Amino acid sequence: MHEENGIIYSDNPEPMLTVLEVRHMYSGVYLLKFSNGVTKLFDTTLLEGEVFEPLKNPEVYENPKIEYEIVTCNNGEIDCAPEYMYEHGFVYNTEDVVSVA
């Protein structure tokens, strides 16, 4: 049981989803590790709107940072909700990656 905004619920609250690690892979695609242990690829070209226009510049999308467990770019001027990145990301399973020796 938990209370949220003055309302009593009978279940346990879900932990907030956050990004623990981010790595730029190629052309605006990030490899993200989430707090629930899932790793996904996220394509920044899916982001629309004026605020995301700077992501068309490689100097901006190639240097993502994590601030307060959220992926940011352009000195913190661009961010995206971890929930959105999780929902619109593609599962990345390292067991599926073929090693070339």
Side-chain angles (χ1 to χ4, degrees):
M1 184 163 34
H2 74 281
E3 179 183 346
E4 192 173 318
N5 298 325
I7 300 171
I8 304 295
Y9 296 90
S10 63
D11 63 347
N12 291 322
E14 289 187 32
M16 192 167 97
L17 186 65
T18 59
V19 178
L20 302 178
E21 297 176 27
V22 60
R23 185 172 73 179
H24 175 252
M25 300 295 282
Y26 56 89
S27 299
V29 174
Y30 296 155
L31 180 65
L32 304 168
K33 182 175 180 184
F34 292 91
S35 56
N36 62 0
V38 175
T39 301
K40 290 192 172 192
L41 293 171
F42 179 78
D43 185 354
T44 62
T45 63
L46 298 174
L47 299 171
E48 298 178 347
E50 187 176 327
V51 70
F52 298 114
E53 286 298 310
L55 287 173
K56 292 180 180 178
N57 179 346
E59 291 179 13
V60 174
Y61 68 68
E62 288 177 352
N63 296 300
K65 293 185 169 78
I66 296 178
E67 295 181 18
Y68 306 104
E69 300 175 322
I70 296 172
V71 176
T72 67
C73 297
N74 208 25
N75 296 319
E77 292 181 15
I78 301 172
D79 63 44
C80 187
E83 298 83 3
Y84 182 89
M85 297 177 99
Y86 186 86
E87 183 179 327
H88 293 90
F90 303 92
V91 175
Y92 181 80
N93 187 347
T94 56
E95 294 173 4
D96 295 338
V97 177
V98 176
S99 174
V100 178

